[in-house]
Amino acid sequence: QVQLVESGGGLVQAGGSLRLSCVVSGTVFFSIGQMAWYREAPGSQRELVAISRYGSADYADSVKGRFTISRDNAKNTVYLQMNNLKPEDTAAYYCKFSFRTNDYWGQGTQVTVSS
């Protein structure tokens, strides 16, 4: 059974930084799977923030130059380094592991950025 556990969220002032982690268990295919971070603010749809696949990364325009996705395949872990945080980054952040036709989600971690 594939499970994802996020951590690293919290309350930070605007301009600050946080690093989110997502540990994936129950699969031997982590290194060849696609990993992504999404976020969902109250009253808004869940949106893609960053994605790591085939050795490359892509980002939402709103976070380019501020957020960095990385992965440690030896630890089955994906990270999201978030710098220069803004109040509009406030949301619940979710990681997703995709392999073949299956998607697996974590439970989310809250990020709150105060102005």
Side-chain angles (χ1 to χ4, degrees), residues 40-45 90-92 110:
E40 187 173 337
S44 299
Q45 289 188 331
T90 295
Q110 179 66 35

Side-chain angles (χ1 to χ4, degrees), residues 60-80:
D61 288 342
S62 59
V63 306
K64 280 182 181 177
R66 300 188 297 122
F67 290 12
T68 303
I69 187 171
S70 61
R71 56 198 297 168
D72 185 337
N73 290 332
K75 296 181 178 180
N76 275 25
T77 301
V78 63
Y79 304 97
L80 185 67

Side-chain angles (χ1 to χ4, degrees), residues 6-109:
E6 300 105 330
S7 61
L11 174 64
V12 64
Q13 288 187 333
S17 298
L18 285 173
R19 188 177 81 155
L20 306 183
S21 301
C22 174
V23 179
V24 182
S25 61
T27 180
V28 298
F29 300 112
F30 176 84
S31 62
I32 59 175
Q34 176 179 286
M35 290 300 308
W37 285 97
Y38 287 74
R39 67 186 180 188
E40 187 173 337
S44 299
Q45 289 188 331
R46 191 170 295 189
E47 63 172 350
L48 177 65
V49 174
I51 189 166
S52 170
R53 53 188 170 192
Y54 311 122
S56 66
D58 290 303
Y59 300 91
D61 288 342
S62 59
V63 306
K64 280 182 181 177
R66 300 188 297 122
F67 290 12
T68 303
I69 187 171
S70 61
R71 56 198 297 168
D72 185 337
N73 290 332
K75 296 181 178 180
N76 275 25
T77 301
V78 63
Y79 304 97
L80 185 67
Q81 178 66 44
M82 305 185 295
N83 298 328
N84 190 22
L85 282 160
K86 304 176 180 181
E88 51 263 42
D89 295 318
T90 295
Y93 283 71
Y94 299 87
C95 62
K96 184 179 79 169
F97 169 66
S98 301
F99 181 68
R100 292 179 178 167
T101 61
N102 299 309
D103 293 330
Y104 304 90
W105 292 88
Q107 82 289 349
T109 186

